[in-house]
Structures are given as structure tokens and as C-alpha cells.
Amino acid sequence: MYPAPPPARVSDAEIRDLVARYLAQSPDQAERLRPVTDALATSADLTHRRTLPGHVTTGAFVVDADGRLLQIAHKSLGRWLNPGGHTEPEDASLAAAARRELLEETGLGAEHVTLLGDPDLPLAIDAHRIPANPAKDEPEHWHFDFRYAFRLNGIPGTATVELQLDEVDDHRWIPFDQAGLGEDTARLAAVLAGAVTNRAAERS
């Protein structure tokens, strides 16, 4: 029996609200989010990594001025992924959790990136299966990934990525439309276009 999780600052009620707002804007995503909405109806403590059959994680899409997406080589999964991971009880919001994971895994902090779009609502929500990990006593389960978009500040190539080498092997910058993001590619393109429009308006 696992000990009870510590109180999380991000409650299940807040997650339900985010999902409801997200689906109100994107009703076509209802089937994609079916595992998330089912879990919200039947489970509790969705930010705790021991909650099954799935729990909330966060991710960061970081794009530079050349339209390249930052990806990291994840050791345990053996795949190129966007930075991200599990939430912590002290995270004030899911966006804050995405920022923390980005800083921990790549060294890119608030001075390096700017959050794009709504400050609370994620750019995308995804549900995907994670394979069992006997070393961590984890069965196969779902990750409900709340993904936030960030623009890299400054000149491309000048930000230093400092990897968390216990979890990450390498990093790369790849054109975001070649990064295998699926339907999130169009979402990312739209928020980036909006950011360009806003910067142009600010300069005029």
C-alpha cells in the first residue's frame, strides 16, 4: 500500500475546469480526451504519479525564432520528446509545472522563454500509454499530458541548454513541422502566428 499523497496545489476540480474550457474551445478533441474525462469521473488525486489507470503530466513546446522545436532524448523511453514530466505538490498550476520541468531538464528558465497563448489553458492535451517499468514498480498506465507552448527569447543559437543527464541523453532543435507532433502541429503553428502578429502590433 502506497502512502497517501501530500496535498496538491493543483486540485482535481481545477483540472476538470481546464479540460471543460479546453473542450468548449475544441469540441473535436472529445474522443482524444476520452481517457482523461473517464479518469476525472472515476479517479482522485490525478496529479499524483501513483494514481492509476493514469495521471496528469505536463510538457513544454519550446520554439525559437527560426521555427525550430526543442526536443530531448529520453533515456528510459528511448525517444525524442518535448521536455516535461510529472507534477509536484508545490506546483502552483500546470503551466508552472511545465516551466519547472523545462528548467530542470534543460536549464531554460523564465528569463529564456515566454509562455504563448492563455496563461492557464494548455495549447494541447494528449492521452498516451506509458509502458510498464518494473524498476520503478510501475505498471503500464496513461499519461494525461497538458502541453504548453513557449517562445525562446533572444537570438537562436545563443541560449545554452544544460541537460539533466540522469534522465536525458541529448537534445536537438528541429523544424516543428517535422517533429512528429501530429495534430498538435497545427495548434502550435496557430499560436506562433498569433505571437508574430502581436509582436508586429507592439512595434507599430
Side-chain angles (χ1 to χ4, degrees), residues 45-60:
D45 300 317
L46 283 186
T47 57
H48 193 260
R49 68 181 302 154
R50 290 294 184 179
T51 297
L52 298 174
H55 45 260
V56 167
T57 58
T58 63

Side-chain angles (χ1 to χ4, degrees), residues 9 12 15 21 23 27 35 50 62 69 82 88 98 106 114 125 128 157 159 171 173-174 176 180 187 191 204:
R9 294 181 67 182
D12 291 347
I15 295 169
R21 289 173 56 199
L23 287 176
R50 290 294 184 179
V62 180
L69 179 76
N82 54 295
E88 298 291 347
T106 70
T114 299
I125 305 175
H128 54 270
H171 78 284
W173 292 93
I174 183 172
F176 76 86
R187 292 175 171 274
V191 76
S204 62

Side-chain angles (χ1 to χ4, degrees), residues 174-199:
I174 183 172
F176 76 86
D177 57 356
Q178 299 175 24
L181 301 181
E183 57 191 288
D184 291 344
T185 303
R187 292 175 171 274
L188 187 54
V191 76
L192 289 171
V196 169
T197 300
N198 292 337
R199 289 203 304 273

Side-chain angles (χ1 to χ4, degrees), residues 14-24 26 29-37 40 55-59 61 94 120-128 143-148 183-184 187:
E14 290 175 86
I15 295 169
R16 288 189 188 92
D17 180 66
L18 285 175
V19 171
R21 289 173 56 199
Y22 182 84
L23 287 176
S26 304
Q29 296 290 294
E31 192 56 37
R32 182 186 186 185
L33 268 61
R34 186 75 60 193
V36 184
T37 52
L40 284 167
H55 45 260
V56 167
T57 58
T58 63
F61 290 146
L94 295 186
D120 298 309
L121 199 64
L123 173 77
I125 305 175
D126 183 62
H128 54 270
H143 274 182
F144 309 135
D145 203 36
F146 286 61
R147 298 169 173 175
Y148 292 84
E183 57 191 288
D184 291 344
R187 292 175 171 274

Side-chain angles (χ1 to χ4, degrees), residues 145-191:
D145 203 36
F146 286 61
R147 298 169 173 175
Y148 292 84
F150 298 87
R151 183 184 70 244
L152 185 71
N153 300 330
I155 301 170
T158 60
T160 300
V161 175
E162 299 177 358
L163 296 175
Q164 184 186 55
L165 293 176
D166 57 336
E167 294 187 9
V168 176
D169 284 319
D170 200 359
H171 78 284
R172 68 181 181 180
W173 292 93
I174 183 172
F176 76 86
D177 57 356
Q178 299 175 24
L181 301 181
E183 57 191 288
D184 291 344
T185 303
R187 292 175 171 274
L188 187 54
V191 76

Side-chain angles (χ1 to χ4, degrees), residues 101-124:
E101 283 288 335
L102 176 63
L103 176 62
E104 290 178 356
E105 293 187 341
T106 70
L108 296 177
E111 70 275 25
H112 301 114
V113 297
T114 299
L115 179 66
L116 301 176
D118 190 295
D120 298 309
L121 199 64
L123 173 77

